[in-house]
Amino acid sequence: METDLNEAQKQVVLAPKGPILVVAGAGTGKTKTLVHRLAHLVKNGTNPESILLLTFTRRAAKEMLGRASQILDHRMMSVRGGTFHSFCHLFLRKYANALSLDSHFTILDEEDTIGFVGMARDQVVTTGTKVRFPKKETLAEIFSSCFNLQVSLEKYLQKEYPMFLGITKEIQEIKTKFSDLKLKHNSLDFDDLLDFTRKLLMSDESIRERMSSVYEYILVDEYQDTNRIQAHIACLLASKHQNILVVGDDAQCIYGFRGASVHNMLDFPKIFPNTNTIQLTKNYRSVQPILNLANAVLEKSSENYKKNLVSAFPKNSKNPYLVQLPSLEEEAEWTSNQILELYEEGITLSEMAVLFRAGFSSHLLEVQLNSKKIPYRKYGGRRFFDLAHVKDMIAYLKIIENPKDILSWNRILLLEDQIGKKYSILLFKKLESNQFQWKDDEHFFLGLPETTKDSFLKLMHCLDSVSPVIHSTQQILERILAYYFPLLESNYDDAEKRKQDLDALVLLSKQEPKLSDYLSNLILNPVEGKEIGTSNEVEDEFLTLSTIHSAKGLEWKYVFTLQVVEGNLPHSRIRTTDELEEERRLFYVAITRAKEALFLTNPAFNDKNRFTPVSRFLSDLPKENQLLQFLDPKNAQSPKEIPKDGQKEPSNETFQNIQNYFLN
């Protein structure tokens, strides 16, 4: 059964009882190893129902157990596999009474949770409230983030929503009422499932021991993605017998914003001093030059498990390419052209991907792909033209170009604080009946409240101040943006993040000074389904655009990573060493998605026309020129094709050790 495993993988599969930490580098077959470990346990007499497999998706657990069944037999489907939340749900159904909870509680989905937050908000925010409060959706996100990050409300607001710091006390009151409402109505949200499970496992030794007798082995996949609460639960379940195996890659811990902590992996041997640490370093995905770059980037990390990935493919390959370009616009154009060239050489679109740090980084490229009829799907951030604030801006431009556009009028009128649906309809009818003239009609404002009139006049003065005949598209956009930004801030709680998306609209306007041409270029020829090549191509073939976060766990032959520059990767908002190290790991993930060729683009100037030096993750490398080859975009040619710890006696104070680590 273990004949197709390498030596390190066999060590994991055949390891004796006790705590095991598997440090699995990118592409080293960690799922295969975990599957064989499961099959080995059952084959050697372990009751499959006494094995608990914790994963991050239900599909991952089902797939692993299915593969294990193919190795052994149907007994593997009796292994208790699932997500942390599904385990906690079943656990609380059985033991809720120990926490004075009714075991018939309702589980709140995201929409239900937001509804409860809204009810709590309405108890605090009344019609007479003079201060702006976050919307219920934003409050729900704030409360969940505070729990998963294990930070105070004030600290989280200070970092993510400083505009609401002045009402911290009131938001805390909403949070308290939200918790009270859930308990009153016997309802738990996803965070409560984790919270109450941990509380019960901490406080009740008899239940903790009972769970140890039910689950003889605990296995956790993607351990680097656990937050402190999830890791604490897993360790508590194993506190008596210590038969816990965790698999993960500290170098791929990139979800710190969700609460994932790299220290769950780094400090695992501190919690279980007799940990058997095994490294998987043989890579079955990428050619060696790509791995050489990944190894060099990781080598600079201040805190990690030192490992050196070695490719299973001995063939000679070219080093990753660093492509230096003058601007973001030329980066988008070069990337789209290169994708077309590769396609013409026989590389399918599904074998290529474009990765980026944040969703807005692909906006200029999306326009280029649309114009070239290249079908794509975007993951991790909505498509540029689906963004609400982009649609808002385009609506203003459409009205300037065509005052009869009823849908655009309706959209921008409803953005105004003092114009609701009723007066939006009324105002459009008045404009329409007056041939979209309003200044010379003394009866125009009859029947309208003074506040509605003031909002409308302010809007009309802005629209009247620009002309597609006199002003360039860029001038029009800059004036409309100045008017729109206060509305953006009042309509969207995350206005600062959305402003970055709108910068792309201004950049695009430089190429199309005439408004009608600009709008046509934006709106015409949307890419839907198969629009490139012949009818013989694969029906669902498309190019992948993805944030690096959403690309983790995936792979492509050819990978383009955009804007590998200071201020983007690493991001300009980083303030601490921990944040910098997570950015480094993010870059490592991007590199290790590529199987055969990797292109890193370096635009010299950003959207503010400021110089952007190449990322420190590249400039700090000691032998940069030996790891990368520089590609001149004007003459670019497409490319062708830890030692094992010694065993120690188990500690009799494991539970206290776990508590000291997670609670101090």
Side-chain angles (χ1 to χ4, degrees):
M1 185 170 66
E2 290 87 26
T3 54
D4 59 341
L5 300 174
N6 63 41
E7 288 305 310
Q9 291 171 334
K10 286 180 184 176
Q11 283 185 46
V12 176
V13 172
L14 303 175
K17 287 184 174 183
I20 304 168
L21 171 64
V22 182
V23 183
T28 56
K30 61 103 178 160
T31 301
K32 177 181 178 181
T33 306
L34 195 53
V35 165
H36 276 79
R37 172 68 176 182
L38 285 164
H40 173 78
L41 289 173
V42 175
K43 182 184 177 183
N44 286 272
T46 302
N47 180 354
E49 293 185 3
S50 72
I51 301 173
L52 176 62
L53 170 65
L54 293 171
T55 63
F56 273 86
T57 66
R58 184 179 172 186
R59 187 181 68 179
K62 186 177 179 180
E63 181 184 330
M64 278 192 265
L65 296 180
R67 288 172 60 178
S69 295
Q70 292 174 355
I71 295 172
L72 193 58
D73 53 47
H74 67 279
R75 284 177 293 170
M76 298 309 306
M77 299 312 291
S78 296
V79 170
R80 302 302 172 93
T83 65
F84 276 92
H85 289 97
S86 65
F87 165 77
C88 293
H89 163 236
L90 295 175
F91 174 79
L92 290 174
R93 289 288 184 204
K94 190 170 184 178
Y95 296 109
N97 292 336
L99 286 170
S100 300
L101 288 173
D102 185 335
S103 61
H104 298 288
F105 57 82
T106 296
I107 299 177
L108 303 174
D109 62 17
E110 185 178 359
E111 186 178 344
D112 295 332
T113 299
I114 291 170
F116 267 93
V117 172
M119 291 167 64
R121 185 183 188 275
D122 290 342
Q123 293 180 22
V124 176
V125 184
T126 62
T127 52
T129 302
K130 302 295 184 184
V131 181
R132 179 192 164 204
F133 274 74
K135 295 176 180 177
K136 59 185 179 180
E137 294 84 0
T138 304
L139 287 168
E141 181 263 315
I142 289 171
F143 300 157
S144 183
S145 294
C146 287
F147 171 76
N148 286 291
L149 293 166
Q150 293 287 278
V151 297
S152 68
L153 177 63
E154 184 175 10
K155 186 174 181 180
Y156 186 76
L157 290 177
Q158 194 168 20
K159 183 178 180 183
E160 299 295 337
Y161 295 96
M163 73 285 280
F164 296 129
L165 266 174
I167 53 170
T168 302
K169 183 179 177 182
E170 290 82 356
I171 294 176
Q172 181 62 55
E173 185 181 355
I174 296 172
K175 188 171 183 286
T176 301
K177 290 184 181 298
F178 168 54
S179 297
D180 292 343
L181 275 169
K182 287 186 291 181
L183 290 177
K184 178 183 177 181
H185 295 282
N186 197 32
S187 300
L188 304 182
D189 62 22
F190 279 28
D191 294 336
D192 293 328
L193 295 176
L194 297 176
D195 191 28
F196 286 121
T197 296
R198 182 173 69 151
K199 284 177 179 175
L200 190 49
L201 287 172
M202 283 194 298
S203 62
D204 196 315
E205 184 177 1
S206 64
I207 290 178
R208 204 165 55 244
E209 290 190 359
R210 203 176 309 165
M211 296 308 294
S212 290
S213 64
V214 171
Y215 297 115
E216 184 183 354
Y217 288 92
I218 313 295
L219 293 87
V220 187
D221 187 27
E222 300 286 8
Y223 194 66
Q224 80 282 345
D225 291 340
T226 55
N227 59 30
R228 284 182 68 84
I229 300 97
Q230 291 164 326
H232 195 177
I233 289 170
C235 292
L236 285 168
L237 290 170
S239 60
K240 187 169 179 64
H241 53 58
Q242 299 188 48
N243 293 330
I244 179 171
L245 182 151
V246 298
V247 183
D249 185 3
D250 56 300
Q252 294 188 70
C253 181
I254 59 173
Y255 298 118
F257 60 94
R258 294 181 191 165
S261 173
V262 69
H263 293 285
N264 289 344
M265 284 206 65
L266 297 178
D267 294 344
F268 187 81
K270 295 180 182 177
I271 300 167
F272 298 100
N274 56 326
T275 293
N276 178 9
T277 302
I278 304 170
Q279 285 205 5
L280 305 182
T281 57
K282 190 170 184 179
N283 179 283
Y284 296 92
R285 175 187 299 155
S286 307
V287 294
Q288 193 60 49
I290 290 172
L291 297 181
N292 289 341
L293 178 61
N295 290 333
V297 168
L298 270 195
E299 185 63 32
K300 287 291 198 174
S301 177
S302 59
E303 191 174 28
N304 64 11
Y305 286 108
K306 299 300 178 185
K307 52 184 173 288
N308 192 62
L309 297 179
V310 178
S311 177
F313 310 115
K315 66 178 182 180
N316 293 327
S317 305
K318 293 182 179 179
N319 286 344
Y321 297 84
L322 180 61
V323 189
Q324 297 176 305
L325 296 142
S327 66
L328 293 173
E329 299 97 311
E330 292 190 49
E331 176 190 56
E333 185 175 3
W334 179 84
T335 303
S336 62
N337 287 337
Q338 189 70 18
I339 288 164
L340 268 183
E341 284 186 34
L342 288 168
Y343 179 81
E344 291 301 323
E345 292 176 10
I347 308 300
T348 62
L349 293 177
S350 59
E351 294 176 307
M352 294 182 268
V354 183
L355 307 182
F356 32 85
R357 172 67 178 77
F360 64 82
S361 298
S362 71
H363 293 164
L364 294 174
L365 177 61
E366 289 178 56
V367 174
Q368 287 285 340
L369 296 175
N370 280 338
S371 67
K372 292 179 171 68
K373 303 290 192 298
I374 300 175
Y376 67 90
R377 291 184 189 171
K378 184 175 179 180
Y379 301 90
R382 297 179 65 185
R383 288 165 64 113
F384 185 43
F385 299 111
D386 292 336
L387 297 169
H389 44 297
V390 172
K391 288 182 176 181
D392 291 344
M393 282 302 301
I394 291 175
Y396 286 106
L397 301 180
K398 284 181 175 179
I399 287 171
I400 293 168
E401 179 68 18
N402 171 28
K404 295 180 181 179
D405 188 331
I406 182 173
L407 294 178
S408 295
W409 273 112
N410 186 58
R411 187 176 190 96
I412 69 168
L413 286 170
L414 289 175
L415 288 170
E416 301 290 332
D417 292 336
Q418 304 299 328
I419 301 178
K421 188 173 288 187
K422 172 185 172 183
Y423 291 117
S424 169
I425 295 170
L426 180 60
L427 283 165
F428 182 79
K429 285 181 177 178
K430 285 176 176 284
L431 283 166
E432 191 174 36
S433 62
N434 279 18
Q435 300 297 310
F436 296 92
Q437 300 299 316
W438 58 278
K439 292 181 181 177
D440 299 327
D441 184 355
E442 57 185 23
H443 302 297
F444 190 90
F445 294 108
L446 285 178
L448 293 173
E450 198 64 29
T451 52
T452 300
K453 174 185 173 182
D454 290 344
S455 282
F456 180 75
L457 284 173
K458 189 178 177 185
L459 168 64
M460 296 308 291
H461 286 314
C462 172
L463 294 175
D464 287 349
S465 69
V466 291
S467 163
V469 177
I470 300 171
H471 300 99
S472 69
T473 304
Q474 185 175 349
Q475 290 172 321
I476 294 171
L477 265 172
E478 288 171 348
R479 198 163 296 188
I480 296 296
L481 280 170
Y483 176 82
Y484 176 67
F485 278 158
L487 296 175
L488 180 73
E489 290 168 354
S490 64
N491 281 281
Y492 303 100
D493 289 334
D494 56 348
E496 287 304 314
K497 295 176 185 176
R498 292 177 184 259
K499 285 179 181 178
Q500 294 175 302
D501 297 321
L502 300 175
D503 292 336
L505 287 174
V506 179
L507 276 177
L508 290 167
S509 70
K510 295 176 182 177
Q511 301 170 6
E512 299 285 359
K514 191 176 177 183
L515 182 60
S516 58
D517 293 340
Y518 177 76
L519 283 171
S520 298
N521 190 36
L522 286 183
I523 298 162
L524 287 179
N525 303 317
V527 173
E528 294 179 3
K530 183 177 65 174
E531 295 195 28
I532 185 170
T534 69
S535 58
N536 294 323
E537 69 168 313
V538 179
E539 184 175 349
D540 291 326
E541 188 189 337
F542 56 86
L543 173 73
T544 295
L545 305 187
S546 176
T547 61
I548 302 170
H549 286 99
S550 296
K552 191 170 84 70
L554 303 176
E555 58 187 47
W556 297 269
K557 278 188 179 180
Y558 293 80
V559 171
F560 299 79
T561 301
L562 302 182
Q563 297 169 38
V564 186
V565 296
E566 286 294 302
N568 186 62
L569 196 63
H571 197 276
S572 58
R573 289 183 65 190
I574 62 166
R575 295 290 180 268
T576 67
T577 301
D578 283 348
E579 290 173 342
L580 177 63
E581 288 308 310
E582 180 154 328
E583 293 288 299
R584 186 188 305 279
R585 295 193 293 269
L586 193 64
F587 185 40
Y588 167 85
V589 168
I591 294 169
T592 53
R593 298 313 93 198
K595 295 160 73 173
E596 294 186 10
L598 174 67
F599 301 88
L600 309 172
T601 57
N602 168 215
F605 291 89
N606 65 13
D607 53 346
K608 308 294 185 188
N609 209 30
R610 294 176 185 155
F611 177 69
T612 53
V614 69
S615 168
R616 72 188 74 179
F617 300 143
L618 294 179
S619 62
D620 286 352
L621 297 179
K623 299 176 181 178
E624 181 186 349
N625 291 333
Q626 295 179 26
L627 295 166
L628 294 162
Q629 56 181 316
F630 295 89
L631 193 151
D632 181 353
K634 294 179 181 177
N635 300 303
Q637 297 294 318
S638 299
K640 307 302 178 187
E641 266 232 34
I642 302 174
K644 179 179 175 181
D645 288 349
Q647 293 291 328
K648 301 176 183 177
E649 287 298 315
S651 168
N652 292 324
E653 300 178 348
T654 303
F655 171 69
Q656 197 56 51
N657 201 23
I658 292 169
Q659 295 302 86
N660 289 340
Y661 176 79
F662 283 103
L663 300 182
N664 291 335

